[in-house]
């Protein structure tokens, strides 16, 4: 499993799916929705986020509706991983299902600033803040979930007949 | 050792005698519900070149409720593609947009039974827990996997038990109970967990009132929000389906992660302030806050008993001149009953706006959106920032009684004193 490295986008607690994929844009074609992902929480996000960037957030990230446009939008804009103090259940499942790494790490929000560089090794669960030089141990995902992530998500597994 | 409701239902559906919290199982599902999320699934099927396939066309309920009737050409296109999908895959149950909101019509039309394991592409799928089912929401990709195989993996959840004893006062409802729980315990107290609701206050509640508890269980993070079935449940389910079912009950020695006892007797009407469901105050602490709009409807509180209490309060009154009140019955059946009972006349006399059954206003999809700085008091279940319209609008969540009373006065008002 590859190591993910990128700029940190930092968010607080209770970032809900209406902030990630605002309801008023859900009726638009998906490509248009992508231009508004996380916009209410940080207007720069959709235009500036780059491949491999890492979201660091507080508690209950992704709470709210089951709309998969939220995690998919993040993934399709390039987000490489999300590390949060905790996730809402459906959002977490959606992440794993689509092959977007999501791990928890207690106290993570207090140790990163917006714009820091971070690196996450999913196999060991080690998260590094390259800007401050500090390291953190994130939760280890069960093998079943690592397998889904490694294959690239449930759709890839379905195609291979391994789900 | 005993098992909880969640453990028993997951054990039964994964072919095991016994499962324990923390275990991973692969379980067969009894029924699935898809609404407009199917349109997004279709995009995924096509973009990723996955064959459109349904493991059992009898077990999928397809419906439209989020954009009904279609307010834009994009929404109409979603619906058109959904109908085409239903034809192509031979789905047996296509309710189109004719019956009402998903979580109201699934039980109403007999697609929910005690002991079932049900999945839906909607977070409030937890609602069916009110019928003793284990039911929860999943996303589009996982639903594609369920469509293909009829199965999904689950982590068997720990269970938190809420024991609610006593009797609610007049004009205090189950909405106030669940808002109180959210306010006291927080929006993530039940994260990844199942909750069970027990106690004499729950037993006293109507089926409709119980659905509010299960519906909003997801607002405290829960995966399931289950109420053990009783005579009322069984009678209701037998009145809507001929399919056989085997109810499940928790064992006396089941292991709970936590047990919380609450009293219903002294509970006051509650209001969740912007912008989170756990930002809860008693109505007395916030009365006097001016409002621009009221909404009575949604899968939380758009049922007949909700319209009845609203009508009782609105009868002989008019909605305040600076306020508009939007009422949307949760289903075609609810609408008809309200009509037959004369409730719609009362609403029209009070100058409320009565719409068709739809999710529209609840999630800001269409109908009754809010402008900049406007405040809405709503009987729905979420008050996230911008959910009902402009980023700078505000949503206050309350019971239908509190919404009705507030709409008469033009400010947040305790329904017990109107
Ligand atoms: S009424 Fe609201 S909460 Fe319920 S399913 Fe519709 S949009 Fe979701």
């Amino acid at each position: 499993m590859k190591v993910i490295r990128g700029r940190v986008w930092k968010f607080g607690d209770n970032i809900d799916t209406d902030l990630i994929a605002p309801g008023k844009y859900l009726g638009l074609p998906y490509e248009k929705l992508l231009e508004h992902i996380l916009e209410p929480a940080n207007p720069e996000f959709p235009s500036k986020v780059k491949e491999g960037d890492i979201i660091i957030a507080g508690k209950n990230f992704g709470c709210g509706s089951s709309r998969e446009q939220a995690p998919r939008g993040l993934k399709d804009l390039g987000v490489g991983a999300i590390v949060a103090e905790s996730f809402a259940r459906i959002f977490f499942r959606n992440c794993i299902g689509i092959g977007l790494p999501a791990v928890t790490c207690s106290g993570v929000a207090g140790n990163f600033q917006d714009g820091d560089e971070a690196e996450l090794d999913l196999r060991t669960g080690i998260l590094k803040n390259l800007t401050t030089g500090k390291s953190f141990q994130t939760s280890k995902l069960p093998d079943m979930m690592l397998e889904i992530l490694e294959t690239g998500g449930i759709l890839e597994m379905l195609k291979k007949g391994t789900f | 050792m005993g098992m909880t409701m969640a453990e028993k239902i997951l054990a039964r559906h994964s072919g095991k005698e016994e499962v324990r919290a923390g275990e991973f199982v692969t379980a067969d599902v009894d029924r699935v519900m898809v609404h407009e999320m199917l349109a997004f699934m279709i995009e995924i099927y096509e973009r990723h070149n996955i064959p459109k396939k349904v493991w059992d066309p009898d077990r999928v309920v397809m419906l439209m409720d989020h954009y009904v009737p279609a307010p834009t050409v994009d929404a109409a296109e979603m619906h058109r593609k959904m109908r085409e999908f239903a034809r192509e895959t031979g789905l047996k149950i296509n309710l189109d947009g004719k019956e009402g909101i998903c979580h109201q019509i699934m039980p109403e039309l007999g697609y929910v039974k005690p002991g079932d394991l049900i999945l839906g592409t909607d977070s409030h799928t937890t609602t069916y827990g009110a019928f003793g089912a284990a039911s929860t929401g999943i996303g589009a990709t996982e639903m594609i996997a369920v469509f293909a195989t009829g199965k999904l993996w689950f982590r068997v959840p720990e269970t938190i038990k809420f024991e609610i004893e006593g009797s609610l006062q007049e004009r205090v409802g189950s909405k106030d109970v669940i808002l109180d729980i959210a306010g006291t315990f927080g929006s993530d107290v039940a994260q990844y967990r199942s909750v069970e609701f027990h106690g004499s206050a729950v037993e006293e509640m109507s089926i409709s009132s119980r659905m509010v508890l299960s519906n909003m269980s997801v607002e405290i993070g829960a995966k399931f929000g289950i109420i053990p079935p009783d005579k009322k449940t069984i009678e209701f389910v037998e009145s809507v389906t001929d399919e056989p079912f085997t109810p499940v009950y928790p064992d006396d020695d089941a292991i709970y992660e936590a047990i919380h006892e609450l009293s219903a007797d002294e509970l006051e009407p509650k209001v969740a302030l912007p912008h989170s469901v756990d930002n809860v105050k008693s109505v007395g602490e916030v009365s006097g806050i001016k409002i621009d709009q009221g909404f009575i409807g949604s899968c939380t509180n758009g049922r007949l008993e909700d319209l009845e209490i609203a009508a009782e309060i609105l009868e002989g009154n008019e909605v305040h001149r600076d306020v508009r009140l939007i009422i949307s019955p949760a289903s075609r059946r609810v609408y008809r009953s309200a009509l037959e009972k004369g409730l719609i006349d009362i609403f029209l006399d009070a100058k409320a706006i009565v719409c068709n059954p739809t999710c529209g206003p609840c999630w800001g999809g269409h109908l009754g959106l809010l402008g900049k700085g406007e405040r809405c008091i709503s009987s729905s279940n979420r008050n996230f920032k911008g959910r009902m319209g402009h980023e700078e609008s505000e949503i206050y969540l309350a019971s239908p009684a509190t919404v009705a009373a507030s709409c008469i006065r033009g400010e947040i008002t305790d329904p017990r004193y109107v």
Side-chain angles (χ1 to χ4, degrees), chain A residues 68-159:
Chain A
E68 188 175 299
Q69 288 92 332
R72 258 195 198 276
L74 293 172
K75 184 174 184 227
D76 290 342
L77 284 179
V79 170
I82 310 175
V83 186
E85 311 252 342
S86 68
F87 289 95
R89 188 191 71 87
I90 301 176
F91 184 88
F92 176 76
R93 284 195 76 114
N94 281 340
C95 286
I96 303 297
I98 64 170
L100 171 60
V103 291
T104 58
C105 178
S106 77
V108 71
N111 282 294
F112 284 83
Q113 299 291 331
D114 209 43
D116 285 353
E117 279 287 307
E119 188 181 278
L120 173 68
D121 184 334
L122 275 181
R123 205 174 27 81
T124 61
I126 302 283
L127 170 71
K128 288 191 195 141
N129 186 333
L130 301 173
T131 308
T132 64
K134 286 199 207 158
S135 288
F136 309 89
Q137 180 68 48
T138 67
S139 63
K140 285 271 220 21
L141 294 172
D143 289 346
M144 182 195 59
M145 292 186 203
L146 283 176
E147 191 193 324
I148 298 177
L149 288 176
E150 255 157 46
T151 320
I154 289 175
L155 295 177
E156 292 306 312
M157 295 180 83
L158 276 178
K159 282 190 212 165

Side-chain angles (χ1 to χ4, degrees), chain B residues 143-363:
Chain B
M143 191 55 95
I144 288 174
V146 175
F147 270 20
T149 63
K151 296 179 203 300
L152 193 65
W153 64 267
F154 294 86
R155 179 182 177 280
V156 180
E158 286 79 14
T159 296
I160 297 178
K161 180 171 173 176
F162 290 98
E163 297 256 21
I164 311 163
E165 302 292 343
S167 298
L168 293 167
Q169 299 168 44
E170 284 272 302
R171 294 195 176 169
V172 179
S174 59
K175 178 62 156 290
D176 301 300
V177 173
I178 192 72
L179 288 177
D180 185 50
I181 289 176
T184 309
F185 297 94
S187 62
D188 57 355
V189 60
Q191 200 132 78
Y192 306 114
R193 292 165 178 80
S194 173
V195 298
E196 286 181 18
F197 297 99
H198 294 249
S200 57
V202 181
E203 283 157 27
E204 267 180 30
M205 283 178 196
S206 66
I207 294 284
S208 295
S209 294
R210 294 177 189 179
M211 288 169 77
V212 179
L213 300 181
S214 298
N215 177 274
M216 288 194 64
S217 294
V218 71
E219 304 307 331
I220 53 170
K223 167 180 196 156
F224 304 136
I226 309 182
I227 299 174
D230 62 4
K231 197 159 153 274
K232 271 186 220 173
T233 327
I234 306 291
E235 277 174 13
F236 175 88
V237 175
E238 285 178 343
S239 77
V240 291
T241 178
D242 295 330
E243 285 181 30
F245 57 91
T246 319
V248 160
Y249 305 92
D251 291 321
D252 291 337
D253 57 345
I255 296 171
Y256 293 95
E257 185 186 80
I259 299 177
H260 301 293
E261 287 168 18
L262 293 97
S263 162
D265 297 325
E266 304 293 321
L267 187 76
E268 311 229 290
K270 297 283 171 180
V271 179
L273 277 54
H275 299 286
S276 73
V277 184
D278 56 3
N279 188 10
V280 175
K281 298 256 193 292
S282 287
V283 69
E285 296 174 77
V286 291
S287 56
I289 294 180
K290 295 261 180 290
I291 54 162
D292 302 286
Q293 180 167 305
F295 172 54
I296 297 175
S298 86
C299 59
T300 314
N301 282 114
R303 282 176 268 284
L304 189 62
E305 67 175 25
D306 302 317
L307 303 185
E308 278 172 335
I309 190 141
E312 177 191 310
I313 292 169
L314 287 166
E315 187 159 25
N317 287 298
E318 251 186 39
V319 171
H320 190 276
R321 70 183 158 83
D322 298 331
V323 174
R324 62 268 176 185
L325 169 59
I326 296 170
I327 301 178
S328 164
S331 71
R332 186 172 67 88
R333 288 191 188 189
V334 171
Y335 200 157
R336 191 198 301 278
S337 306
L339 199 58
E340 285 169 357
K341 293 191 162 219
L343 309 184
I344 305 293
D345 279 330
I346 295 174
F347 298 149
L348 294 177
D349 287 342
K351 297 199 178 157
I353 302 166
V354 183
C355 311
N356 64 300
T358 176
C359 287
C362 167
W363 72 291

Side-chain angles (χ1 to χ4, degrees), chain A residues 14 16-19 22-31 33 39-40 59-61 63-70 72-73 75-76 86-90 92-94 96-98 104 142 144-145 148 153-156 158-159 163, chain B residues 24 35 37 40 43-44 47-50 67 72 74-75 78 120-123 136-142 144-145 148-149 151-155 187-188 191-192 218 221-223 275-276 278 363-364 382 384-387 389-391:
Chain A
N14 296 315
D16 59 66
T17 52
D18 281 73
L19 294 175
K24 62 181 171 214
Y25 304 121
L26 283 183
L28 300 177
Y30 178 67
E31 305 306 324
L33 169 70
E39 182 184 73
K59 285 191 307 175
N60 209 16
F61 191 85
C63 59
S65 84
S66 62
R67 64 185 70 154
E68 188 175 299
Q69 288 92 332
R72 258 195 198 276
K75 184 174 184 227
D76 290 342
S86 68
F87 289 95
R89 188 191 71 87
I90 301 176
F92 176 76
R93 284 195 76 114
N94 281 340
I96 303 297
I98 64 170
T104 58
M144 182 195 59
M145 292 186 203
I148 298 177
I154 289 175
L155 295 177
E156 292 306 312
L158 276 178
K159 282 190 212 165
F163 185 78
Chain B
F24 284 88
H35 53 35
M37 182 75 91
F40 187 59
E43 274 196 53
I44 298 174
R47 186 143 30 99
H48 295 264
N49 221 346
I50 308 274
Y67 298 99
T72 62
D74 284 327
M78 280 187 189
T121 50
D122 190 277
S123 56
T136 196
I138 59 171
T141 299
E142 291 204 305
I144 288 174
T149 63
K151 296 179 203 300
L152 193 65
W153 64 267
F154 294 86
R155 179 182 177 280
S187 62
D188 57 355
Q191 200 132 78
Y192 306 114
V218 71
K223 167 180 196 156
H275 299 286
S276 73
D278 56 3
W363 72 291
R382 277 192 185 135
F384 300 154
K385 198 160 187 246
R387 180 167 168 95
H390 197 279
E391 288 312 323

Side-chain angles (χ1 to χ4, degrees), chain B residues 47-66:
Chain B
R47 186 143 30 99
H48 295 264
N49 221 346
I50 308 274
K52 295 184 186 123
K53 180 186 142 200
V54 170
W55 96 104
D56 184 347
D58 281 314
R59 290 181 190 262
V60 177
V61 180
M62 186 193 92
L63 55 92
M64 298 149 201
D65 58 2
H66 276 55

Side-chain angles (χ1 to χ4, degrees), chain B residues 63-85:
Chain B
L63 55 92
M64 298 149 201
D65 58 2
H66 276 55
Y67 298 99
V68 173
T72 62
V73 175
D74 284 327
E77 279 296 290
M78 280 187 189
H79 291 170
R80 186 181 64 73
K81 288 177 190 161
M82 289 172 70
R83 293 181 188 111
E84 199 176 276
F85 179 95

